[in-house]
Amino acid sequence: MTAEMVAPAWMHQQVTAEQYDAWTDEQSAGIEIVDGMVLVSPSASKRHNRLARLLANALDAAAGPDWNADTDFDVRLYDVPLNNRRPDVTVYRADSIDVTPTRPEHVLLVVEVVSPGSETTDRVVKTDQYAKAGIPFYWRVEQAVTGAPLVYTSVLDPAAGRYRDGEFFAGVVKTAMPFPVEVDLSAI
């Protein structure tokens, strides 16, 4: 085994919230922390990024002054063990724009765009984590091999601590939950 093949020591040790908070933006870019362990994500495809941006732009325009929609930043689900997720799109309270870390109570909706290699994580693991953290809405975007993307919406059932199925859309998303929004994803 060559020196280039040996993973750095920090990849074998749990990271605490205090350690992570001391990292620079460059050090924390492109990773998530699950149960204190660093998960490195590959760069997303252009299609994936475009879907996320189109959704973020539409959600931001429709959300009104109380909410912002952005892509690619950490949402701190738990401090111990540290769990930071980086949803593809996050709708969060506008008055929390300068609050770090972003916590579940700041978040209204998270969107994950499923890519090859993230299927189980986006369909099962993140769904469970976001629900247990109390995020009211979760949308999952499936990239169809042919045709328009499929969007599955979910609404939190707080008593059960899990999501229940919401609306389903093929290509054009037109919904009133969590606020009225319409976006055509079929042109991707």
Side-chain angles (χ1 to χ4, degrees):
M1 181 177 282
T2 66
E4 295 84 33
M5 296 171 66
V6 176
W10 57 263
M11 291 187 81
H12 301 285
Q13 301 168 353
Q14 283 189 311
V15 176
T16 67
E18 295 77 23
Q19 290 169 322
Y20 184 79
D21 290 343
W23 291 5
T24 66
D25 289 341
E26 292 78 23
Q27 289 171 307
S28 61
I31 64 168
E32 293 181 314
I33 309 288
V34 177
D35 295 333
M37 301 304 290
V38 175
L39 297 179
V40 180
S41 298
S43 295
S45 70
K46 291 183 281 187
R47 177 177 299 277
H48 175 284
N49 288 340
R50 183 158 176 78
L51 282 167
R53 185 172 51 82
L54 287 173
L55 277 167
N57 290 347
L59 289 165
D60 197 54
D66 294 333
W67 300 98
N68 295 333
D70 285 311
T71 60
D72 195 35
F73 66 88
D74 287 340
V75 175
R76 174 84 47 96
L77 301 178
Y78 305 103
D79 284 327
V80 179
L82 180 61
N83 277 271
N84 275 6
R85 286 297 189 174
R86 190 175 287 269
D88 293 313
V89 179
T90 305
V91 176
Y92 60 96
R93 288 192 347 238
D95 64 2
S96 71
I97 194 166
D98 294 318
V99 175
T100 302
T102 299
R103 301 266 184 194
E105 57 267 21
H106 304 139
V107 177
L108 178 65
L109 164 69
V110 291
V111 179
E112 294 290 355
V113 178
V114 179
S115 293
S118 75
E119 294 95 338
T120 301
T121 300
D122 291 342
R123 293 176 187 154
V124 179
V125 177
K126 288 183 179 181
T127 302
D128 183 61
Q129 289 179 330
Y130 293 146
K132 285 183 176 156
I135 295 172
F137 297 91
Y138 177 68
W139 291 6
R140 188 182 81 246
V141 180
E142 298 279 346
Q143 300 182 65
V145 176
T146 60
L150 307 175
V151 180
Y152 298 85
T153 69
S154 302
V155 180
L156 182 64
D157 177 346
R162 64 177 179 252
Y163 291 111
R164 59 180 166 77
D165 292 341
E167 298 173 288
F168 166 79
F169 303 97
V172 177
V173 176
K174 185 175 182 180
T175 185
M177 299 278 291
F179 43 76
V181 64
E182 184 172 350
V183 58
D184 185 356
L185 301 177
S186 63
I188 299 290

